[in-house]
Amino acid sequence: MTFTSAGVLRGMQVGIPLVIGTFPFGLVVGVISGAKGLSLLETLVMSGVVFAGASQLLALELWTDPAPVLAASLAALVVNLRLAPMGAALAPWLDRLRGWKLWGTLATLVDHSYAFSIAEIRRGGRDAGYLLGVALILWMFWMVAVGLGHVLGAVVQLPPGHPLYFAAVATFCALLVPVWQGVRRDLLPWILAAAVSLGAWEIGLGAPWPLLAGALSGAALGAWMELRRR
């Protein structure tokens, strides 16, 4: 395993197309942040440190005056628990990193960089700089998008259901392609995860519980199926 500047640059290059899907998502986060009363500086600090669009939107939905810091933090924690198994799957690279290489990579890890890096590992890739490169280009454009969204939010009023709001969902759906391992391994866990999530939503559970319930059920079935194969 290596970690090179060439790997970082290659990761940034292959991550550029992902910006098309995440940029509108960042605009939405910026617009909502401004509507909730956050200053431009507060919005940029939150986005730069948290760098997790789903949990940021959830925290903003809960944001009132006075701010429910504990509730918002707990909700963000639940949504971001999915990063723990992602880190475990990336152990072939992460276990061999130290210092800023490790912490910088972990701080910028998102679904997109995970999906691309898992595909790279399966192809025999050995340069962990690739993971940081994909995440870094996304972080840079994310900050630009959030800032623009905050500044332009007062000028451009998007109606509910505008296609811009679907950009993030479309991006996450596209990310499923490189992590798909075939019908035998993934079909049943993915179906169960989707069914449990939709069922939890239908019975009235609010975010983030449908997401967490679906993720845990699908992961549990996948782990059980993997143990049976051994």
Side-chain angles (χ1 to χ4, degrees):
M1 196 282 296
T2 61
F3 187 102
T4 67
S5 58
V8 175
L9 290 175
R10 190 166 69 88
M12 295 179 72
Q13 290 174 349
V14 301
I16 289 176
L18 294 172
V19 173
I20 299 173
T22 58
F23 203 87
F25 194 7
L27 290 174
V28 171
V29 171
V31 169
I32 296 177
S33 298
K36 289 290 185 175
L38 274 69
S39 68
L40 177 60
L41 178 60
E42 290 169 336
T43 300
L44 290 176
V45 170
M46 175 185 67
S47 298
V49 174
V50 178
F51 187 42
S55 60
Q56 285 180 240
L57 282 177
L58 180 58
L60 288 170
E61 286 296 322
L62 298 174
W63 203 264
T64 57
D65 189 15
V69 177
L70 181 60
S73 300
L74 179 60
L77 174 64
V78 171
V79 170
N80 288 333
L81 281 176
R82 71 189 189 282
L83 295 174
M86 288 183 191
L90 293 168
W93 282 354
L94 295 178
D95 283 352
R96 292 166 175 79
L97 298 182
R98 297 292 184 272
W100 68 268
K101 295 177 181 178
L102 173 62
W103 298 113
T105 300
L106 290 175
T108 55
L109 178 64
V110 289
D111 304 82
H112 313 70
S113 57
Y114 163 77
F116 270 49
S117 297
I118 283 294
E120 177 72 6
I121 290 175
R122 291 173 183 166
R123 290 192 295 265
R126 300 175 58 82
D127 195 335
Y130 179 91
L131 171 59
L132 178 60
V134 177
L136 196 57
I137 194 68
L138 289 170
W139 183 88
M140 292 167 59
F141 278 95
W142 178 258
M143 295 295 289
V144 173
V146 170
L148 283 176
H150 188 281
V151 172
L152 301 176
V155 179
V156 181
Q157 299 293 332
L158 297 178
H162 190 278
L164 181 66
Y165 292 104
F166 185 70
V169 178
T171 303
F172 281 114
C173 290
L175 288 174
L176 296 176
V177 176
V179 298
W180 174 257
Q181 298 184 79
V183 173
R184 291 186 60 190
R185 284 194 170 189
D186 287 343
L187 183 60
L188 290 179
W190 288 26
I191 289 177
L192 178 64
V196 171
S197 298
L198 291 174
W201 182 265
E202 285 296 325
I203 64 175
L205 293 179
W209 303 114
L211 172 65
L212 183 62
L216 291 178
S217 59
L221 178 58
W224 178 76
M225 292 173 61
E226 188 68 24
L227 289 174
R228 286 196 63 186
R229 293 190 192 97
R230 298 177 183 176

